Amino acid sequence: MKSSKSEFDLQNKSLIGRSIVTLDDLSIPQIQELLNKGRYINSHRKEVAHTCDGRVLATLFYEPSTRTRLSFETAMLRLGGQVIGFAGADSSSAKKGETLHDTICTVSHYADAIALRHPKEGAALVAANSCNIPVINAGDGGHMHPTQTLADLATIEARFGSFDGLTVGLCGDLTFGRTVHSLIETLCRFGNIKFVLISPKELTTPQYVLDRINNEPTCSYVQTHDLMESIADLDVLYMTRVQQERFFNEDEYLRLRDTYVLDEQKMREAKSTMAVLHPLPRVNEIDTRVDNDPRAAYFEQVENGMIMRMALLSSVLGDQLQGYEG
Ligand code: NCD
């Protein structure tokens, strides 16, 4: 027991002060540790309520958000810390022409950690290189969204106990859906996953993400346009919204946005144990009547998002969760 405790200490130390641009910035044991911490936090809310006393988190959101920003903020508040920030580039000095580098550098003198959402791919990496405090990527354009993946992993693990051997369908906008890219990247590292990539031909998975699957011998994928062809095989069905804001052509968006609508009739063809995930917001992709189906896991995902952000924030700040033994 003693030696595993000191291993935990080492592992935990190595997260302190680190920026998280993608989950590749964490080892698999560190991701597993975050999942363990998440379970602990969920059942020890009072004990952890002063973990980050005196800390300040800055949430800098240059793009719209409901869940990600509010869950980051709630996570910090529930750990005893406080929050500053802005929810829109127009209310920041970006409007006056300030560079991201200068804004991040400035805020790093006020806050202990930054959660950044930005429309440009690579913005989180630029920010991480612009300051000496942890920057957590809360979504950079169509690239990555690592903390959503932590929420997704916690939700899948709660339903299935592990990721091993799962058939995971991802459906919708696989080109611009950053949550999809982050999730595939990370599940590949756990290994032994069959991916079913379901999208219109205009919105297929980028090659760099397919390469991740190709490079992992225990993982495989099929690409299809037909949700019903594969729904009966799936353990997880991850629905996504067509990312209107990343389209150049409004007509194209209108033509594609309702390609897949998961409804009660389609759910009848799925396994009784299948879990339906969606990072939200949904537009039309899931009929609201599916919400009452026990297989609908997307509001569990919302709660897991807050919990996993609590786990991550306390870890990068190096603040110990009271009573957590590792
Ligand atoms: C996602 C995002 O912003 O990438 N939302 C979220 O953070 N939960 C998905 C989306 O906007 O479609």
Side-chain angles (χ1 to χ4, degrees):
M1 275 316 274
K2 269 231 148 63
S3 83
S4 80
K5 176 94 165 61
S6 74
E7 262 175 42
F8 155 74
D9 282 340
L10 271 179
Q11 194 177 295
N12 194 44
K13 262 196 192 106
S14 66
L15 266 188
I16 299 172
R18 291 263 297 276
S19 288
I20 309 299
V21 175
T22 96
L23 284 189
D24 280 353
D25 293 325
L26 303 177
S27 67
I28 290 294
Q30 283 172 331
I31 294 172
Q32 274 159 338
E33 183 65 35
L34 289 176
L35 291 165
N36 289 342
K37 283 188 175 180
R39 280 192 298 276
Y40 178 81
I41 289 167
N42 200 13
S43 54
H44 295 80
R45 306 259 182 137
K46 276 214 174 106
E47 287 85 341
V48 304
H50 295 285
T51 306
C52 294
D53 275 355
R55 299 289 199 180
V56 175
L57 169 71
T59 56
L60 310 185
F61 277 58
Y62 292 79
E63 270 195 335
S65 169
T66 297
R67 273 151 294 272
T68 305
R69 185 173 63 81
L70 293 180
S71 68
F72 261 111
E73 296 188 353
T74 314
M76 191 41 129
L77 295 172
R78 285 189 182 275
L79 291 168
Q82 298 190 59
V83 180
I84 59 169
F86 52 78
D90 282 358
S91 60
S92 78
S93 284
K95 181 96 174 159
K96 302 181 190 168
E98 185 170 56
T99 62
L100 179 63
H101 171 276
D102 283 359
T103 303
I104 294 291
C105 192
T106 300
V107 173
S108 73
H109 291 283
Y110 306 143
D112 300 292
I114 293 173
L116 173 74
R117 169 166 289 190
H118 198 281
K120 287 211 176 112
E121 291 78 8
L125 183 61
V126 169
N129 290 333
S130 301
C131 67
N132 294 322
I133 64 169
V135 173
I136 301 176
N137 184 4
D140 60 332
H143 183 222
M144 291 288 160
H145 195 345
T147 60
Q148 179 62 48
T149 299
L150 291 175
D152 303 341
L153 294 176
T155 308
I156 296 171
E157 194 182 52
R159 292 267 172 151
F160 297 97
S162 86
F163 311 110
D164 191 46
L166 296 178
T167 299
V168 178
L170 299 111
C171 178
D173 185 347
L174 307 188
T175 299
F176 300 112
R178 54 194 172 196
T179 65
V180 165
H181 307 156
S182 286
L183 181 59
I184 294 176
E185 165 183 284
T186 308
L187 283 176
C188 279
R189 294 171 66 209
F190 280 93
N192 205 19
I193 303 281
K194 280 189 193 145
F195 294 100
V196 181
L197 306 172
I198 308 153
S199 72
K201 67 178 186 324
E202 295 83 352
L203 295 174
T204 53
T205 314
Q207 191 58 46
Y208 78 93
V209 179
L210 296 179
D211 287 345
R212 288 295 293 253
I213 310 177
N214 287 330
N215 289 338
E216 176 46 59
T218 65
C219 292
S220 62
Y221 68 86
V222 290
Q223 290 180 293
T224 173
H225 310 311
D226 188 351
L227 170 60
M228 291 320 288
E229 179 189 280
S230 53
I231 195 166
D233 302 329
L234 304 179
D235 298 306
V236 174
L237 174 56
Y238 194 96
M239 297 296 294
T240 63
R241 168 182 75 91
V242 175
Q243 304 279 297
Q244 177 176 18
E245 63 275 37
R246 311 211 193 284
F247 270 69
F248 295 109
N249 180 331
E250 181 69 7
D251 290 342
E252 182 88 331
Y253 166 70
L254 294 174
R255 190 171 64 77
L256 294 172
R257 71 170 179 190
D258 293 332
T259 312
Y260 304 104
V261 180
L262 184 66
D263 57 18
E264 287 174 303
Q265 195 191 337
K266 295 193 178 85
M267 288 296 285
R268 278 199 274 278
E269 306 298 318
K271 288 184 190 174
S272 61
T273 51
M274 186 182 78
V276 182
L277 276 70
H278 191 309
L280 303 178
R282 78 174 136 192
V283 184
N284 282 327
E285 312 80 51
I286 305 180
D287 189 307
T288 52
R289 278 167 291 198
V290 176
D291 297 0
N292 296 325
D293 189 308
R295 293 170 289 183
Y298 28 95
F299 289 108
E300 280 162 47
Q301 240 173 313
V302 168
E303 181 162 19
N304 286 329
M306 177 189 73
I307 299 282
M308 292 308 295
R309 289 175 179 111
M310 290 172 78
L312 184 62
L313 284 171
S314 57
S315 299
V316 297
L317 291 170
D319 293 335
Q320 299 299 317
L321 299 164
Q322 188 189 310
Y324 179 73
E325 295 285 335

